[in-house]
């Protein structure tokens, strides 16, 4: 070693100048390569796909066209000083929306603006009449907000009338906005219209002037809508169907990634130290420092990187599925020229849902192993245990070694099954045209050109994804995996000393009865027998879900092949929505509907996910009134409902927005400040209130900081846009387009900041548009409305100050007179979530009962019980998933709220949210597994299925007691009332024990090959997990709301009764003495 180092040193010392230069060149090249790789990595992370670039171009094009059109003389003469509104409306119309969403939004926008124009004319008429009855007729001045709209001097009566009209317009509009999430954008546009119109209305002396202004204002808005419509419908056309099919391709690709993550995780279960802390493993060998590749749970067990990757993959899969579900109604409503019909799209979506359920179940298996590791202490090194626990440690190590051996046996069939499912998904993508066929690699082309390297016979017999008949290949592989379960059973029997006289996987009509699981060959210890039983059920649990995933992939492949065979994929056809679907769409515009990002792009910022839980969540009976029996009583009920609307949360929000608006708008209606309001353009502070008011304080803090930051950034970029080209009109428009082009990237990639980015774009359009307006019209014409001219270096800071003032007022009224905190909203939404969970459990309970008794009916009929339950189950499941996402956002926003008093129990809320998510997944697994009892693929074993279903009916695998407890928890959390005393979760159903009491042979291992046997194992494990998480849920809710306690405890006879009672009454009013 020393000699080698000496030779290396001599070699370095003998290097000449040329060698040194060469080394410097290599070092420079390596440095350049590293820099290039950094830039390449950053570029790849930015994900500038063709779709992103086209949407950025499309979003920036509409305002650029509006600003450029204003440079035309006829355009400028028509709109005069209101031309900037054209560009702003082209931005707020959001032309990058898919076609059907854009058309719906645009239709509602036009209706809102036309209604606003009618209301504005009525308000102007009232103002003119108030002026006429209080002020003598005087000549009007020539200057006004628009050509032909002359103005007169201040009149207090006209100002008071317009202030009242403004208050009630904003109140009713925002009450509607809070109660109907699908009307968010139209209400914002309507609010801008009435804010601009009613601040100028008091100055009009005649209706002629008012009509002229209202007409021009309406034309400006409609022109902006028209430009946005042209860009949306003709430039890079995009439909919801295109986006949905792209999402479907992404979903199937994500399923492939999830299968890979699932395979990697299950491979790690064969390792002995999978649940060990890295520092413990290193300390046993090298006493190294703790590693950072594992994440510890509260109980000490470690989450491996593979486990984290699997959880992240399942989370991304569920989020993408939620987006697909939100787009489904729009896919069915829009017209298209495509291969797949609306019914085909609906069937494709159901196949995707069929893939999601077993994959979610496998992620639950990872949590089950985590609980097993925590229970047996697998995460603790042997050196930390005392001698008394050595026996327990040996038992734990023996159980772990059994699991390691079982999971190693599963490796090979699991890898083969994962590969088959991956290829099946690839086949679906290719067959349905969701992806291009991959080009052959250069190495493959080179090999194919060399005849000696080709195996023609092997290529002729091989079948690849995309080939005809691939479904039969998938079916064969899935059946092979099903048959390979025999190896796992042999390992389990060998570990537990069970000898099988016959092979249960062989279809022998009269097989000799095998030893049941409770055989005399097993240990007499009940705990050991139960442990073996749980181990068998968990093995069957994983096998069933893996097999079910394969069956779901096979079903998807068969669907794709059917679309090819029936000619659907050969040619495109015109697809139009039915009249019934259009009728449902029209009705959906007015009824209460769940909110989502398709209606409110700012929902990701505010966390305001609105879920309509159903009429049954409201009070079904009035304890103060009996049901009405005559017309007069019904009329009285109507009056009381009107009063309840005024006292609702939505009405309170509308009242806050109206008060905030008039807090600034009052400046426009007072004599000493009205001129200041118009000259300093404070109308945009009013508009910021309409855009910036949020329901909760946490999102208000976030929005307040974000909007001011966005406006400040817009001010800075406006300077760059203007001065980089020295104010030349053509260059300014080009750079404005480029900056908006970049800002739309953040709208597309970071939805949480969509409002901040939109506000930045609108501010840029305001500043640049005004400066170009003055250049086009001239300073004299531009100041004819009474507003002085400001150069850009003054106008931009004024805009920032104006927006900041409006946002501060909105922020103030979010907290005053009492804060609408994200914490209170989190608690109320959590109560709704628990209610929906109770509803979902009740539906699952009824579903399982109908399937066991065979009373589901014909599922192809919409009126059959099974079909109606399926629809209800899907609707509640999606509602719950959407609400859980909103709850997590509310929980995140609690960190932004100022804290007064005790600390907010965020950990308990997060724990409850996770437990609700777990129970929802386990319930869905129970429903999914019970479907096997109806659709049994093996007709030769119908006898066992019928006997099993008959026994399960008498056992009742689910209980409505869980429904009652969840409903009680919902009421306590919603109203903040303590739980009743002695509330406990129902005991976990020991289904196997109760079934064996009825029939000792029904769960014999000889029936293990039955699909229903594995489905039973899934139901057994899922029901146990529901009971486990329900108990934790009750404890966490009890920590939040408390528990009623009427008990008294005598601690010491030396204490007087009075002292005991006094000390007991001080314990939170519970009356408990300690």
């Amino acid at each position: 070693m020393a000699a080698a180092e000496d030779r290396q040193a001599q070699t370095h010392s003998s290097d000449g100048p040329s060698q040194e230069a060469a080394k410097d060149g290599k070092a420079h090249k390596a440095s350049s390569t590293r820099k290039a790789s950094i830039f390449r990595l950053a570029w790849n992370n930015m994900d500038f796909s063709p779709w992103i670039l086209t949407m950025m171009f499309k979003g920036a094009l509409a305002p650029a066209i509006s600003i450029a059109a204003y440079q035309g003389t006829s355009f400028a003469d028509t709109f005069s000083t209101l031309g900037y509104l054209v560009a702003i409306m082209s931005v707020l119309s959001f032309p990058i929306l898919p076609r059907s969403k854009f058309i719906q939004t645009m239709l509602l926008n036009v209706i809102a603006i036309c209604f606003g124009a009618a209301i504005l004319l009525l308000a102007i008429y009232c103002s003119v009449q108030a002026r006429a009855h209080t002020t003598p007729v005087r000549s009007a001045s020539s200057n006004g907000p628009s050509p032909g709209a002359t103005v007169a001097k201040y009149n207090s009566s006209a100002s008071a009338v317009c202030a009242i009209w403004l208050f009630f317009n904003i109140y009713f509009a925002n009450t509607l906005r809070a109660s109907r999430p699908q009307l968010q954008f139209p209400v914002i546009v309507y609010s801008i219209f009435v804010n601009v119109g009613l601040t100028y209305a008091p100055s009009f002396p005649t209706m002629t002037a008012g009509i002229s202004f209202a007409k021009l204002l309406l034309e400006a808005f409609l022109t902006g809508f028209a430009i946005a419509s042209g860009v949306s419908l003709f430039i890079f056309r995009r439909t919801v169907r295109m986006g949905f099919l792209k999402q479907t391709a992404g979903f199937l690709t994500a399923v492939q990634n999830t299968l890979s993550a699932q395979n990697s995780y299950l491979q790690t279960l064969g390792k002995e130290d999978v649940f060990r802390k890295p520092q413990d493993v290193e300390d046993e060998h090298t006493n190294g420092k703790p590693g950072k590749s594992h994440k510890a749970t509260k109980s000490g067990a470690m989450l491996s990187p593979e486990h984290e990757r699997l959880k992240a993959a399942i989370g991304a899969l569920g989020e993408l599925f939620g987006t697909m579900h939100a787009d489904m109604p729009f896919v069915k409503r829009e017209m298209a020229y495509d291969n797949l019909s609306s019914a085909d799209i609906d069937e494709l979506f159901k196949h995707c849902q069929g893939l999601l359920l077993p994959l979610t179940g496998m992620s639950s298996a990872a949590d089950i192993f985590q609980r097993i590791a925590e229970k047996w202490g697998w995460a603790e090194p042997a050196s930390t245990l005392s001698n008394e626990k050595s026996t327990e440690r040996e038992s734990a190590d023996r159980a772990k070694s059994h699991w390691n051996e079982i999971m190693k046996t599963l490796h090979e069939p699991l890898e083969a099954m994962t590969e088959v499912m991956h290829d099946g998904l690839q086949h679906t993508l290719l067959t349905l045209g969701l992806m291009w066929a991959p080009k052959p690699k250069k190495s493959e082309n080179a090999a194919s050109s060399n005849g000696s390297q080709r195996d023609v016979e092997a290529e002729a017999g091989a079948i690849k994804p995309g080939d005809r008949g691939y479904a039969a290949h998938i079916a064969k592989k899935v059946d092979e995996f099903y048959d390979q379960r025999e190896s796992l059973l042999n390992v389990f029997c060998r570990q537990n000393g069970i000898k099988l006289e016959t092979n249960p996987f062989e279809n022998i009509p009269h097989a000799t009865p095998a030893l049941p699981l409770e055989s005399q060959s097993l240990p007499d210890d009940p705990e050991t027998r139960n442990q073996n039983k749980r181990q068998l059920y968990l093995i069957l649990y994983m096998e069933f879900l893996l097999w079910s995933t394969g069956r779901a992939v096979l079903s998807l492949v068969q669907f794709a092949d059917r679309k090819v065979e029936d000619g659907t994929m050969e040619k495109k056809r015109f697809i139009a929505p039915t009249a019934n679907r259009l009728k449902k769409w029209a009705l959906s515009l007015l009824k209460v509907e769940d909110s989502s990002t398709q209606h409110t792009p700012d929902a990701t910022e505010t966390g305001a996910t609105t879920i309509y839980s159903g009429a049954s969540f409201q009070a079904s009976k009035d304890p103060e009134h009996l049901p009405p029996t005559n017309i007069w009583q019904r009329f009285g009920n109507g009056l009381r409902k009107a009063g309840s609307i005024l006292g609702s949360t939505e009405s309170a929000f509308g009242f806050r927005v109206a008060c905030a608006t008039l807090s600034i708008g009052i400046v426009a209606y007072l004599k000493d400040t009205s001129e200041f309001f118009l000259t300093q353009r404070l109308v945009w502070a009013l508009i910021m209130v309409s855009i910036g008011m949020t329901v909760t304080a946490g999102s208000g803090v976030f929005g307040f900081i974000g909007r001011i930051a966005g406006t400040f950034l817009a001010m800075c970029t406006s300077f760059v846009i203007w001065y980089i080209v020295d104010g030349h009109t053509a260059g300014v428009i080009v750079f404005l387009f480029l900056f908006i082009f970049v800002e739309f990237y953040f709208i597309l990639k970071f939805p949480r900041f969509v409002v901040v980015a939109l506000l930045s774009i609108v501010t840029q359009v305001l500043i640049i548009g005004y400066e170009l307006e003055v250049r086009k019209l001239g300073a004299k014409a531009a100041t004819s409305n009474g507003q002085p001219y400001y150069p850009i270096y003054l106008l931009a800071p004024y805009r920032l100050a104006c927006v900041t003032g409006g946002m501060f007022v909105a922020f103030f009224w979010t907290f005053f007179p009492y804060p609408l905190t994200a914490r209170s909203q989190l608690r109320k939404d959590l109560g709704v979530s628990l209610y929906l969970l109770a509803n979902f459990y009740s539906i699952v309970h009824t579903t399982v009962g109908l399937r066991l008794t065979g009373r589901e009916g014909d599922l192809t009929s919409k009126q059959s019980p099974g079909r109606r339950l399926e629809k209800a189950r899907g609707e509640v499941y999606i509602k719950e998933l959407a609400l859980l996402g909103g709850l997590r956002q509310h929980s995140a926003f609690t960190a932004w709220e100022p804290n007064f008093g005790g600390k907010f129990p965020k950990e308990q809320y997060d724990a409850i949210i996770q437990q609700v998510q777990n129970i929802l997944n386990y319930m869905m697994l129970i429903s999914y597994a019970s479907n096997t009892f109806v659709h049994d693929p093996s007709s030769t074993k119908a006898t066992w299925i019928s006997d099993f279903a008959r026994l399960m009916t008498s056992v009742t695998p689910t209980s409505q007691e869980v429904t009652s407890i969840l409903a009680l928890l919902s009421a306590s959390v919603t109203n903040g009332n303590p739980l009743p005393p002695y509330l406990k979760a129902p005991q976990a159903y020991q289904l196997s024990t109760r079934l064996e009491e009825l029939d000792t042979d029904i769960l014999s291992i000889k029936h293990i090959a039955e699909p229903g046997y594995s489905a039973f194992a899934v139901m057994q494990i899922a029901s146990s997990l529901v009971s486990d998480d329900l108990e934790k849920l009750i404890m966490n809710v009890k920590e939040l709301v408390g528990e009623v306690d009427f008990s008294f405890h005598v601690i010491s006879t030396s204490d007087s009764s009075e002292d005991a009672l006094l000390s007991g009454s001080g314990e939170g009013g519970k009356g408990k003495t300690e």
Side-chain angles (χ1 to χ4, degrees):
M1 180 73 69
E5 291 177 355
D6 291 340
R7 287 194 299 270
Q8 185 178 8
Q10 293 173 2
T11 304
H12 283 191
S13 62
S14 63
D15 288 340
S18 60
Q19 294 174 331
E20 291 290 341
K23 288 193 296 183
D24 292 342
K26 291 181 180 179
H28 177 71
K29 184 177 180 180
S31 176
S32 301
T33 303
R34 285 194 298 270
K35 292 180 179 179
S37 62
I38 293 174
F39 286 118
R40 187 179 298 108
L41 180 62
W43 178 265
N44 294 335
N45 290 335
M46 293 178 74
D47 187 25
F48 279 117
S49 63
W51 177 82
I52 292 288
L53 293 174
T54 54
M55 290 301 103
M56 292 166 61
F57 178 86
K58 190 173 184 177
L61 186 60
I65 291 176
S66 303
I67 295 295
Y70 195 84
Q71 307 312 308
T73 302
S74 60
F75 194 96
D77 292 341
T78 300
F79 293 105
S80 185
T81 57
L82 296 180
Y84 67 94
L85 289 173
V86 176
I88 292 175
M89 287 303 107
S90 68
V91 173
L92 295 181
S93 298
F94 227 60
I96 64 173
L97 287 174
R99 185 170 58 198
S100 60
K101 293 183 180 180
F102 177 82
I103 291 176
Q104 174 178 303
T105 303
M106 183 55 61
L107 178 61
L108 295 174
N109 286 345
V110 171
I111 293 175
I113 294 305
C114 292
F115 181 77
I119 294 295
L120 178 59
L121 289 174
L122 181 58
I124 292 175
Y125 174 79
C126 296
S127 173
V128 169
Q129 292 301 314
R131 176 185 291 273
H133 288 82
T134 56
T135 303
V137 179
R138 296 178 181 177
S139 59
S141 61
S142 58
N143 59 337
S146 63
T150 57
V151 295
K153 292 184 178 180
Y154 175 83
N155 181 272
S156 60
S157 299
S159 297
V161 168
C162 290
I164 294 173
W165 273 101
L166 177 64
F167 181 87
F168 282 98
N169 265 277
I170 297 300
Y171 166 72
F172 286 114
N174 283 276
T175 300
L176 186 65
R177 171 188 174 187
S179 62
R180 298 295 187 273
Q182 62 267 35
L183 301 179
Q184 290 274 350
F185 263 149
V187 168
I188 290 177
V189 173
Y190 175 85
S191 299
I192 295 175
F193 189 91
V194 297
N195 275 323
V196 174
L198 289 176
T199 52
Y200 283 105
S203 60
F204 298 135
T206 62
M207 279 301 297
T208 303
I211 292 173
S212 176
F213 172 74
K215 179 183 177 182
L216 187 61
L217 187 63
L218 178 62
E219 290 176 351
F221 274 68
L222 292 179
T223 303
F225 293 161
I227 294 175
S229 299
V231 172
S232 177
L233 299 178
F234 299 106
I235 306 297
F236 296 121
R237 290 175 293 179
R238 176 192 172 207
T239 64
V240 181
R241 176 181 288 262
M242 294 167 57
F244 179 85
L245 293 177
K246 182 177 180 181
Q247 291 168 1
T248 303
F251 179 86
L252 297 181
T253 304
V255 170
Q256 291 177 327
N257 296 334
T258 304
L259 291 172
S260 176
Q262 174 182 283
N263 184 30
S264 300
Y265 172 74
L266 294 179
Q267 296 281 354
T268 62
L269 295 180
K271 300 178 181 179
E272 295 183 357
D273 57 350
V274 61
F275 297 106
R276 295 280 299 280
K277 299 178 182 179
Q279 59 266 35
D280 295 336
V281 178
E282 293 178 0
D283 289 343
E284 291 179 1
H285 301 87
T286 60
N287 294 324
K289 295 182 179 180
K292 298 183 179 181
S293 60
H294 288 57
K295 179 181 178 181
T297 60
K298 291 182 179 180
S299 57
M302 304 305 298
L303 300 182
S304 63
E306 291 79 8
H307 189 178
E308 290 292 322
R309 182 187 168 199
L310 178 59
K311 290 177 62 177
I314 290 293
L317 202 61
E319 183 178 353
L320 185 54
F321 180 79
T323 304
M324 293 169 61
H325 179 270
D327 286 342
M328 273 299 296
F330 290 93
V331 174
K332 297 178 181 179
R333 293 169 188 167
E334 71 177 359
M335 293 183 292
Y337 184 71
D338 199 3
N339 300 95
L340 299 176
S341 64
S342 298
D344 295 334
I345 292 289
D346 189 47
E347 187 176 357
L348 177 61
F349 176 75
K350 290 180 180 178
H351 284 295
C352 292
Q353 185 178 14
L355 286 170
L356 179 64
L357 296 180
L359 288 174
T360 304
M362 283 304 299
S363 69
S364 301
D367 296 332
I368 294 172
F369 276 108
Q370 206 65 38
R371 299 186 188 191
I372 294 174
E374 294 169 1
K375 177 181 179 180
W376 286 98
W378 292 347
E380 299 298 331
S383 57
T384 61
L385 298 178
S386 59
N387 294 330
E388 291 79 2
K389 296 185 178 181
S390 59
T391 304
E392 297 180 4
R393 181 66 188 194
E394 291 177 0
S395 178
D397 289 342
R398 184 167 56 253
K400 184 170 65 172
S401 64
H402 287 176
W403 275 117
N404 290 336
E405 184 179 0
I406 290 173
M407 297 312 300
K408 288 177 181 178
T409 308
L410 188 61
H411 285 178
E412 184 176 350
L414 177 62
E415 288 183 355
M417 190 64 175
T418 301
E419 183 179 359
V420 168
M421 291 188 289
H422 183 281
D423 291 344
L425 296 171
Q426 194 78 2
H427 173 81
T428 302
L429 291 169
L430 294 172
T431 304
L432 295 180
L434 300 179
M435 67 174 295
W436 296 103
K439 296 181 179 180
K441 298 180 180 179
K442 294 182 178 180
S443 58
E444 296 177 357
N445 292 335
S448 63
S449 63
N450 186 356
S452 61
Q453 297 182 11
R454 296 179 60 188
D455 189 346
V456 180
E457 294 181 359
E459 291 181 2
I463 185 169
K464 304 183 298 298
D467 294 345
R468 287 183 177 273
Y470 198 76
H473 172 71
I474 296 290
K476 179 181 177 182
K477 293 296 184 181
V478 172
D479 292 340
E480 289 178 359
F481 175 80
Y482 184 79
D483 295 336
Q484 286 178 352
R485 299 191 307 162
E486 180 181 356
S487 59
L488 278 182
L489 176 64
N490 292 332
V491 172
F492 171 79
C493 293
R494 177 171 51 80
Q495 290 176 347
N496 296 281
I498 301 176
K499 296 181 180 180
L500 298 177
E501 298 179 6
T502 60
N503 188 352
F505 290 89
E506 295 179 358
N507 190 13
I508 302 176
H510 303 287
T512 303
L515 290 175
L517 195 57
E518 308 290 346
S519 173
Q520 295 180 355
S521 62
L522 295 179
D524 295 331
D525 183 14
E527 179 62 28
T528 303
R529 291 200 301 269
N530 290 333
Q531 176 186 338
N532 294 337
K533 188 187 303 181
R534 288 192 295 266
Q535 187 181 46
L536 175 62
Y537 287 165
L538 185 52
I539 294 171
L540 296 176
Y541 175 92
M542 291 187 297
E543 286 186 333
F544 178 80
L545 292 178
L546 288 171
W547 176 71
S548 298
T549 307
R551 296 285 298 178
V553 172
L554 174 61
S555 179
L556 183 61
V557 170
Q558 291 172 342
F559 164 76
D561 287 348
R562 284 198 308 270
K563 294 299 105 181
V564 174
E565 293 171 1
D566 61 16
T568 300
M569 301 305 299
E570 290 182 359
K571 62 179 182 178
K572 296 183 178 181
R573 56 190 60 83
F574 181 74
I575 301 169
T578 61
N580 186 41
R581 193 169 300 281
L582 292 177
K583 178 182 177 181
K584 291 181 179 179
W585 166 73
L587 294 176
S588 69
L589 297 178
L590 301 177
K591 70 177 183 180
V592 179
E593 192 174 86
D594 299 342
S595 69
S596 59
T597 54
Q598 74 233 10
H599 297 134
T600 58
D602 59 331
T604 50
E605 179 197 77
T606 63
T609 302
T610 304
I611 297 295
Y612 179 58
S613 54
S616 59
F617 189 63
Q618 311 300 328
S620 58
K621 285 189 176 182
D622 187 349
E624 299 177 1
H625 297 84
L626 293 174
T629 58
N630 53 46
I631 297 178
W632 177 251
Q633 291 179 357
R634 294 188 184 93
F635 176 75
N637 273 357
L639 291 179
R640 290 192 299 110
K641 288 182 179 179
S644 65
I645 293 175
L646 294 177
S648 64
T649 305
E650 294 80 6
S651 176
F653 174 72
F655 186 79
R656 284 174 183 260
V657 179
C659 290
T661 300
L662 207 61
S663 298
I664 301 174
I666 192 66
V667 179
Y669 301 121
L670 298 178
K671 182 176 182 179
D672 296 335
T673 56
S674 59
E675 184 177 355
F676 173 80
F677 181 91
L678 294 177
T679 56
Q680 301 304 322
R681 305 166 175 86
L682 295 186
V683 66
W684 281 103
L686 292 181
I687 294 174
M688 289 304 107
V689 171
S690 299
I691 299 176
M693 283 289 285
T694 54
V695 178
T696 61
S699 55
V701 174
F702 179 82
F704 176 69
I705 297 175
R707 286 165 172 79
I708 292 178
T711 306
F712 178 79
L713 182 63
M715 179 189 71
C716 299
T717 55
S718 297
F719 290 150
V720 176
I721 293 171
W722 186 264
Y723 288 113
I724 198 171
V725 293
D726 197 21
H728 291 289
T729 301
V732 168
I733 295 175
V734 170
F735 271 90
L736 176 64
F737 169 82
L738 292 176
F739 273 85
I740 297 177
F741 175 82
V742 173
E743 287 158 353
F744 261 93
Y745 171 80
F746 295 94
I747 293 177
L748 295 168
K749 296 297 294 183
F750 305 100
R752 188 176 183 182
F753 301 100
V754 61
V755 176
V756 175
L758 275 178
L759 185 59
S760 179
I761 294 172
V762 169
T763 304
Q764 286 176 350
V765 170
L766 275 173
I767 297 172
I768 301 300
Y770 176 78
E771 294 297 329
L772 294 179
E773 172 188 298
V774 173
R775 172 171 295 176
K776 180 64 181 178
L777 296 177
K780 182 178 180 180
T783 57
S784 62
N785 60 356
Q787 294 179 348
Y789 165 70
Y790 292 120
I792 191 171
Y793 56 83
L794 292 178
L795 179 67
Y798 282 171
R799 293 292 188 196
L800 176 62
C802 185
V803 171
T804 303
M807 291 307 306
F808 177 79
V809 172
F811 179 75
F812 172 80
W813 281 97
T814 302
F815 283 88
F816 182 82
Y818 62 90
L820 297 172
T821 62
R823 300 170 181 179
S824 61
Q825 190 66 35
L826 174 62
R827 178 178 58 83
K828 293 177 181 178
D829 285 352
L830 187 58
V832 176
S833 177
L834 289 169
Y835 164 79
L836 289 175
L837 191 64
N839 191 357
F840 186 76
Y841 187 90
S842 179
I843 295 173
V844 171
H845 174 85
T846 306
T847 300
V848 173
L850 288 180
R851 286 174 175 171
L852 290 174
T853 56
R855 294 183 298 166
E856 272 195 308
D858 184 9
L859 294 181
T860 60
S861 173
K862 293 184 178 180
Q863 302 303 321
S864 65
R867 182 72 175 271
R868 295 170 65 182
L869 282 172
E870 180 184 5
K871 182 179 180 181
R873 191 169 60 249
E875 289 178 352
V876 176
Y877 180 73
I878 294 298
K879 283 176 180 286
E880 186 67 272
L881 286 181
L883 189 55
L884 287 172
L887 287 172
R888 292 187 175 93
Q889 289 186 357
H890 279 306
S891 178
F893 275 120
T894 57
W896 292 85
E897 292 183 345
N899 194 33
F900 302 100
K903 184 180 177 182
F904 178 72
K906 187 176 183 298
E907 293 183 359
Q908 281 83 357
Y909 276 100
D910 290 341
I912 292 175
I913 293 171
Q914 186 59 47
Q915 285 150 11
V916 170
Q917 178 79 69
N918 292 342
I919 294 176
L920 179 69
N921 292 338
Y922 300 146
M923 289 179 183
M924 201 65 185
L925 273 180
I926 292 174
S927 174
Y928 182 79
S930 66
N931 196 41
T932 306
F933 303 136
V934 179
H935 303 285
D936 182 18
S938 178
S939 59
T940 59
K941 301 181 180 181
T943 303
W944 183 87
I945 278 289
S946 61
D947 293 342
F948 181 80
R950 174 177 50 81
L951 292 176
M952 286 287 286
T953 304
S954 61
V955 170
T956 337
T958 56
S959 170
Q960 289 289 22
E961 186 179 356
V962 176
T963 306
S964 301
I965 291 178
L966 290 173
L968 185 59
L969 294 177
S970 171
S972 294
V973 172
T974 301
N975 301 317
N977 296 329
L979 291 173
Y982 315 117
L983 182 66
K984 294 182 179 180
Q987 294 295 325
Y989 266 71
Q990 299 296 330
L991 296 179
S992 58
T993 303
R994 300 181 66 183
L995 285 173
E996 288 164 355
E997 290 175 357
L998 299 174
D999 187 345
T1000 57
D1001 185 61
I1002 194 68
L1003 293 181
S1004 172
I1005 295 183
K1006 70 179 181 181
H1007 300 302
I1008 199 172
E1010 300 278 357
Y1013 198 105
S1014 299
F1016 164 75
V1018 173
M1019 294 180 63
Q1020 171 71 36
I1021 291 177
S1023 60
S1024 300
L1025 293 174
V1026 167
S1027 299
D1028 188 18
D1029 276 319
L1030 184 60
E1031 185 175 356
K1032 296 178 182 178
L1033 181 63
I1034 293 175
M1035 294 300 298
N1036 282 314
V1037 172
K1038 193 178 296 184
E1039 289 184 12
L1040 288 181
V1041 300
E1043 180 185 21
V1044 176
D1045 188 356
F1046 300 110
S1047 61
F1048 292 88
H1049 306 283
V1050 178
I1051 298 177
S1052 175
T1053 56
S1054 61
D1055 296 334
S1056 65
S1057 300
E1058 181 180 359
D1059 292 339
L1061 290 175
L1062 288 176
S1063 63
S1065 62
E1067 293 291 335
K1070 291 184 178 182
K1072 182 176 180 179
T1073 307
E1074 298 183 3

